[in-house]
Amino acid sequence: MDAPGNISWAITATALVLLMTPGVAFFYGGLVKAKSVVSMMMMSFGSIGLVAVLWILFGFSMSAVESPTQFAGNPFADFGLGGLATGEGSNVALLGVAYGATFAIITVALISGAIADRAKFGSWLIFAGIFATVGYFPIAAWVWGGGWIMNLGNTLFGEDSGIAVIDYAGGTAVHINAGAAALALALVLGKRIGFQKGILKPHNVPLTLLGAALLWFGWFGFNAGAEWLSEDMGGVGLIGLNTLGATAAAILGWILIERIKDGKATSVGAASGAVAGLVAITPACANLTPGWSLLLGAVAGIVCALAVELKFRLGFDDSLDVVGIHLVGGLLGTLYLGFFASETGLFVGGDGRQLVVQLIAALGVLIYSFVVAFIIGFAIQKTIGFRITNEDEIAGVDSVVHGEEGYALVDA
């Protein structure tokens, strides 16, 4: 794992995943009103600044546990990572820290899409810092750092069962986590002024397409990056192909539904379908054959295209469809493994136990994340306030909160 090729891929993958958060900023920024684009993008860039610092100070220390019964690692075990930086093998270890930080950053940034057009930036940063600390860092320990999800198969079926929760790159820790938190914040902040289907349209479609392209580009590091820890990086080929194939199939699934429902296939739909496919393949990228990945992508595109309508039916204002794409797509990809995971899925290996552990892990993260995010968001709203006033929302959150405008349409 410390060979030059592995090290080179590690730093490349870290840069790719970091680029995904500016990709989120562009994707989200194009979807909001012109008077909200700066605010929307700043929530992503604010997440980069804050979460990266917290991860280095204590988040990484919290992301590994010594026992499955432990909630999270000790945040003060190596505060600031001075010990890790001077220890044996520090080069490889510190690269692992940097790579892990990018996952924490994008998980928090994804949540912001649910509260577009109406959130205070300072309140968002407070939420982001607290949620990262009690939301993402412990869940990362559960899924990848020796926690209860990582050991769930052994706990339920014994160490010889060969059954373990499969979440290669973050279906639970990233997407279900972010989607559930997004739903909680959407409920806390309430609906935007004039919220109804067809009223609030994207102000810059090319910006959204650019964001989707950057996300797809960075996702190869997101899904295949951890392979640098293996001696020969033997899984990169399958992971890379699945990341391409599932995403492409999801585009087709989404625009097909648009064509059937509305008579037109849209570019925003194609971009959203791509993201839905990327979300769904994230937990499954290393454990599906390419054909099953194509099916997963197509199903994800179709299901997520239908799921984004739930906000109008159920009356919650998830501004940019974080719930419909990330929560639903994350659940779909995680549970799909219970049926089609190579060798252990119900329809591939004939074993229903894989589905059991996938379902328990998904529901556990969903419930925990929703409750934690709701409590944090509600406390902020009732103390310093999380949502801007109706008057400020009409005037435009960019000028009110940041003193800037996204577009200088008239020369000074």
Side-chain angles (χ1 to χ4, degrees):
M1 70 179 63
D2 57 352
N6 294 63
I7 295 297
S8 297
W9 173 235
I11 194 66
T12 300
T14 300
L16 285 169
V17 184
L18 181 60
L19 183 65
M20 289 172 65
T21 299
V24 169
F26 282 119
F27 183 77
Y28 283 171
L31 291 172
V32 297
K33 298 185 294 186
K35 296 187 291 185
S36 303
V37 61
V38 173
S39 168
M40 192 71 258
M41 298 184 80
M42 273 294 288
M43 285 198 277
S44 287
F45 278 86
S47 299
I48 295 175
L50 179 60
V51 178
V53 169
L54 297 181
W55 179 261
I56 293 169
L57 289 177
F58 59 82
F60 177 75
S61 297
M62 293 180 65
S63 68
V65 293
E66 298 177 357
S67 165
T69 60
Q70 190 177 349
F71 175 73
N74 179 2
F76 303 107
D78 190 11
F79 192 82
L81 302 181
L84 188 68
T86 57
E88 183 178 352
S90 61
N91 189 43
V92 172
L94 292 175
L95 273 175
V97 174
Y99 184 65
T102 61
F103 280 67
I105 290 165
I106 196 168
T107 302
V108 174
L110 288 172
I111 301 169
S112 65
I115 54 174
D117 298 324
R118 62 198 189 279
K120 297 179 180 178
F121 183 65
S123 298
W124 162 252
L125 286 184
I126 293 172
F127 171 85
I130 299 174
F131 183 81
T133 300
V134 299
Y136 181 81
F137 299 161
I139 291 176
W142 300 351
V143 176
W144 298 309
W148 71 269
I149 290 178
M150 190 172 180
N151 288 276
L152 186 59
N154 292 343
T155 302
L156 293 179
F157 306 118
E159 295 185 4
D160 297 329
S161 66
I163 300 296
V165 173
I166 302 173
D167 186 358
Y168 190 83
T172 56
V174 177
H175 297 295
I176 295 175
N177 190 7
L183 176 59
L185 281 195
L187 295 175
V188 169
L189 269 68
K191 302 174 186 177
R192 290 167 291 175
I193 298 171
F195 170 72
Q196 58 180 311
K197 188 174 182 179
I199 293 295
L200 302 168
K201 296 183 180 296
H203 90 281
N204 192 325
V205 172
L207 205 66
T208 295
L209 294 175
L210 172 63
L214 290 173
L215 282 168
W216 199 346
F217 180 69
W219 223 286
F220 286 93
F222 192 69
N223 281 355
E227 281 295 299
W228 76 279
L229 293 170
S230 66
E231 291 186 4
D232 59 358
M233 297 199 295
V236 168
L238 178 64
I239 293 169
L241 182 60
N242 285 345
T243 302
L244 172 65
T247 310
I251 294 174
L252 299 180
W254 191 297
I255 61 177
L256 173 64
I257 291 299
E258 282 192 323
R259 182 68 176 83
I260 294 171
K261 287 172 63 267
D262 306 318
K264 293 182 175 66
T266 69
S267 56
V268 170
S272 299
V275 176
L278 290 165
V279 169
I281 197 60
T282 292
C285 57
N287 296 88
L288 294 177
T289 58
W292 289 124
S293 293
L294 289 176
L295 178 61
L296 172 59
V299 171
I302 292 168
V303 171
C304 291
L306 296 172
V308 297
E309 301 292 328
L310 289 175
K311 65 183 181 182
F312 302 111
R313 295 179 178 272
L314 301 179
F316 62 92
D317 188 1
D318 169 23
S319 308
L320 306 183
D321 300 319
V322 186
V323 176
I325 294 177
H326 293 276
L327 179 57
V328 173
L331 285 169
L332 181 62
T334 300
L335 298 180
Y336 187 89
L337 284 161
F339 297 99
F340 300 109
S342 299
E343 298 182 3
T344 59
L346 179 61
F347 297 151
V348 177
D351 195 337
R353 294 178 296 177
Q354 188 67 60
L355 180 59
V356 171
V357 296
Q358 298 297 123
L359 180 61
I360 293 172
L363 291 179
V365 171
L366 191 161
I367 294 168
Y368 177 80
S369 178
F370 178 87
V371 171
V372 167
F374 190 91
I375 291 172
I376 299 169
F378 185 81
I380 294 172
Q381 176 67 9
K382 292 301 181 182
T383 51
I384 64 173
F386 207 143
R387 177 172 178 154
I388 62 174
T389 65
N390 289 346
E391 293 77 14
D392 288 344
E393 184 180 338
I394 294 171
V397 65
D398 286 354
S399 59
V400 171
V401 174
H402 297 286
E404 296 178 301
E405 295 180 358
Y407 305 95
L409 301 178
V410 179
D411 291 335

